Amino acid sequence: MFRRNSGTFSFSTGDHKGLVRLDHRSSDDDSIGFRYNATNISDSNEGIGALVGQSRGYIQDFRDHTVLLNWLHSFSPRAVNEFRAQFNPYVFITASTDPHGPSLDIAGFGSFNRDRFLPATTLSRRYEIADNVSFFRGKHAWKFGANVLIRNIT
């Protein structure tokens, strides 16, 4: 086991991001927008080296996506309404490269096999809805609205 965990080890990493955006002005008073972002990041064996053996390595996978829709409506040059809805799910997973072996920690020598705290998974879903109305008169501006944010993390 000690020879297998000595030497140099390869690691892989991936980082992929994308964005799609669409804006449309349907009239002088209305415009809508749509946006979709995606991020996928993955890493393996980044925590090994020194006193941490290759069998104690871990794999991380992170996925974050966002969908946003907004609508802007002008009732008049003095009154504007903005509506926005957003959904954002993300997943963060950390897993061991040795899913079955027992954890072995020898003080001053090294840490080997599966980490006792892995696997760990975080799932989150975020929903947001906002509606704001702005009024302008002379030097004054008033803004009223509501914002609802719901987060679900497991």
Side-chain angles (χ1 to χ4, degrees):
M1 176 179 71
F2 299 125
R3 283 201 178 133
R4 194 179 75 224
N5 283 284
S6 299
T8 59
F9 303 97
S10 63
F11 67 93
S12 64
T13 185
D15 190 346
H16 307 281
K17 295 180 173 85
L19 169 68
V20 174
R21 181 177 175 151
L22 175 65
D23 294 316
H24 177 66
R25 187 169 180 161
S26 57
S27 69
D28 289 341
D29 296 332
D30 292 297
S31 64
I32 59 172
F34 171 80
R35 186 184 78 201
Y36 174 73
N37 303 28
T39 300
N40 293 324
I41 301 172
S42 61
D43 293 308
S44 69
N45 285 338
E46 67 178 45
I48 63 173
L51 298 178
V52 180
Q54 189 270 341
S55 61
R56 179 61 71 94
Y58 55 88
I59 301 163
Q60 290 185 319
D61 189 19
F62 176 74
R63 292 183 297 262
D64 184 14
H65 300 261
T66 303
V67 177
L68 173 72
L69 179 65
N70 66 340
W71 172 43
L72 190 64
H73 176 74
S74 295
F75 295 106
S76 71
R78 294 182 176 179
V80 178
N81 185 65
E82 176 198 12
F83 174 79
R84 183 176 64 249
Q86 178 174 308
F87 175 60
N88 172 237
Y90 76 82
V91 178
F92 185 64
I93 300 169
T94 304
S96 178
T97 56
D98 182 5
H100 305 294
S103 177
L104 178 60
D105 296 303
I106 303 170
F109 188 75
S111 300
F112 306 96
N113 300 340
R114 185 178 73 83
D115 188 324
R116 66 182 175 269
F117 298 112
L118 299 180
T121 302
T122 302
L123 273 70
S124 175
R125 291 178 184 86
R126 188 177 71 126
Y127 306 89
E128 182 178 14
I129 296 175
D131 195 10
N132 300 304
V133 179
S134 301
F135 297 101
F136 307 96
R137 184 166 201 120
K139 295 180 180 180
H140 302 282
W142 295 278
K143 189 171 189 177
F144 303 94
N147 188 8
V148 177
L149 177 62
I150 301 169
R151 291 184 181 168
N152 179 10
I153 300 174
T154 56

